[in-house]
Amino acid sequence: MGLLAWLLAGGGDAPERGDRLVTAPEQDPATKTATDPEAVEVPEAGKYIEGILLDEAKKPVADGRVVAREFDRIHWKWNEVGAEVRSDRDGKFRLRVDSEFWVQVRAHHPGYQRAEEYASPRQEKPVELILKRGAAVTVIVQDPDLKPVAKAKVSLFDREEGESLGEVLTDAQGRVLAGVVAPGRVLVTINHPGFALLKADHVIENLDPVVVEMRLDRGGAIEGRVLSPDGDPVPGARVHPQNDDVRVAIADDTGAYRLENVGSFEVRIVAEADGFGPGHFGRLLGWGRAVPVLVESGETVRGIDIALSAASYVRGRIVDREKNGIEGLMVQVGGRGILNEGGRVPTDTEGRFEIGPLGLTKATKLSVTSVSY
């Protein structure tokens, strides 16, 4: 039984493992050429995910882009684990994945919101992705002189669902289709070196296409010094707004820095340097967390001095019941009074780990957690 007929019939017993999805008449494999649509390798068991794209009326959606992603717990990010494919005229697709575990199957199509489901190459039942209509949001980015800004990173964040809708770059005309979204509040963020970070909320009222024009400015500046725990200057320290790796200033030989292109909203300023734990503005004032700084466009805020903390490390070993080290577990540290989490690190072949440098505002009780066992 074909996949589409099986789905429309309401399921029932899963297709036999040997059933195949085809987009062209069957041919003798020996006669296939590189130009044939079916000129592919013989499928390996457990390496393919089959599925179908449907709209809200359960009609097939052709020419949808489908990819598979797997979460990398070592680097804490999503990675694609197979080549992109497109659904055929019946909405069906066969996706090769370089994983034997559960992956996220994600579908994109102009005019529809992104759809995603989890699936495994080991499952026999095809995955079904339902594409919902949405409003296409096109963003136009300009500089202060109304000239287009190319290669600006545009991000959409769904305020209603609390999730990111992805990142794209503007073209030479400063335009980009940023995404297709459901009606509601959407946060649009524009990030480009040489300009201040720009954020703005927009309300999507219906499913009609929307064009959002956003104008960047140069922002303001912040000046100060980076000091060691003993009050000495720290040349070469890196200063940047929290969660922003685009705008970075380097402290000079006196520990002084000037951070430019800071957005006109409250930002928290942090500093890092080799051999030290991180520091933030507010530590010298006795605060255990970063104090926001408000910068107006075209202005300079001075006296934002940052004290680094002494470097602290957490080292340990994770073992099983037989006291054998467990390799490849992700470990993280938590606790009140930590300026940073120190990242997430994997255990080595002996089950050992080291997390740091951590910045501690005071003596604190730490919790060490394995997040993948």
Side-chain angles (χ1 to χ4, degrees):
M1 178 186 293
L3 172 62
L4 180 57
W6 175 77
L7 285 171
L8 296 179
D13 293 334
E16 294 297 323
R17 183 177 291 276
D19 283 0
R20 300 183 60 226
L21 291 175
V22 295
T23 57
E26 290 284 15
Q27 304 177 36
D28 182 349
T31 66
K32 296 184 188 298
T33 67
T35 58
D36 291 333
E38 286 285 290
V40 297
E41 300 177 2
V42 177
E44 300 178 35
K47 287 294 184 181
Y48 283 81
I49 292 176
E50 298 178 346
I52 187 169
L53 301 187
L54 302 171
D55 63 17
E56 294 175 274
K58 292 301 180 85
K59 294 181 179 180
V61 178
D63 203 34
R65 295 189 299 110
V66 185
V67 296
R69 307 193 311 163
E70 189 175 55
F71 195 68
D72 180 351
R73 295 191 177 188
I74 295 179
H75 300 98
W76 215 247
K77 65 178 183 177
W78 288 95
N79 293 323
E80 292 190 4
V81 289
E84 176 184 297
V85 299
R86 289 185 177 268
S87 58
D88 65 17
R89 64 183 181 182
D90 296 319
K92 297 182 290 187
F93 63 88
R94 167 179 276 158
L95 181 66
R96 180 184 175 89
V97 295
D98 301 323
S99 174
E100 297 181 358
F101 305 101
W102 287 88
V103 298
Q104 184 188 76
V105 181
R106 175 175 284 190
H108 305 262
H109 194 288
Y112 293 93
Q113 301 175 50
R114 183 182 70 204
E116 54 194 36
E117 293 287 347
Y118 284 90
S120 167
R122 300 181 181 182
Q123 71 184 53
E124 295 186 3
K125 184 177 180 179
V127 61
E128 180 181 288
L129 290 97
I130 305 298
L131 294 168
K132 298 180 180 181
R133 288 287 180 182
V137 179
T138 298
V139 177
I140 301 176
V141 182
Q142 300 173 326
D143 68 10
D145 299 321
L146 301 183
K147 295 180 180 179
V149 179
K151 296 185 178 180
K153 182 186 293 185
V154 180
S155 306
L156 292 186
F157 185 83
D158 188 333
R159 291 285 201 185
E160 309 294 334
E161 298 295 331
E163 66 173 347
S164 171
L165 301 177
E167 297 179 343
V168 288
L169 297 178
T170 56
D171 60 18
Q173 286 71 47
R175 299 175 63 97
V176 67
L177 174 61
V180 180
V181 303
R185 279 199 313 140
V186 175
L187 174 66
V188 182
T189 302
I190 313 296
N191 203 347
H192 191 287
F195 297 96
L197 185 70
L198 179 61
K199 300 180 181 180
D201 276 302
H202 292 270
V203 177
I204 309 300
E205 297 182 350
N206 49 47
L207 300 182
D208 295 336
V210 176
V211 177
V212 177
E213 296 186 1
M214 301 189 69
R215 188 183 304 178
L216 300 176
D217 65 34
R218 303 294 177 181
I222 293 176
E223 294 182 353
R225 300 178 68 209
V226 181
L227 306 174
S228 72
D230 298 326
D232 299 320
V234 182
R238 301 172 295 279
V239 183
H240 58 88
Q242 196 170 36
N243 301 321
D244 183 351
D245 58 0
V246 173
R247 279 150 284 276
V248 179
I250 305 299
D252 64 18
D253 291 342
T254 67
Y257 72 88
R258 178 180 172 84
L259 181 64
E260 299 183 332
N261 305 130
V262 179
S264 301
F265 47 84
E266 290 186 342
V267 295
R268 291 170 169 81
I269 306 301
V270 298
E272 302 161 340
D274 295 340
F276 297 93
H280 59 241
F281 174 66
R283 187 167 185 269
L284 287 174
L285 304 177
W287 287 71
R289 62 183 185 277
V291 176
V293 179
L294 179 59
V295 183
E296 297 294 341
S297 181
E299 296 183 355
T300 298
V301 177
R302 297 178 173 82
I304 307 301
D305 296 340
I306 304 172
L308 297 173
S309 58
S312 301
Y313 294 84
V314 176
R315 301 180 178 93
R317 185 168 181 254
I318 297 180
V319 298
D320 58 22
R321 294 179 180 178
E322 286 73 38
K323 304 299 183 182
N324 299 313
I326 303 175
E327 180 184 4
L329 296 185
M330 296 306 302
V331 183
Q332 63 186 21
V333 171
R336 302 182 68 177
I338 301 179
L339 299 183
N340 67 322
E341 294 182 349
R344 300 168 178 85
V345 299
T347 54
D348 63 17
T349 55
E350 299 296 325
R352 296 185 176 88
F353 65 88
E354 177 180 285
I355 300 178
L358 296 171
L360 304 181
T361 60
K362 56 185 177 181
T364 184
K365 182 178 180 180
L366 302 179
S367 62
V368 181
T369 306
S370 168
V371 296
S372 56
Y373 192 68

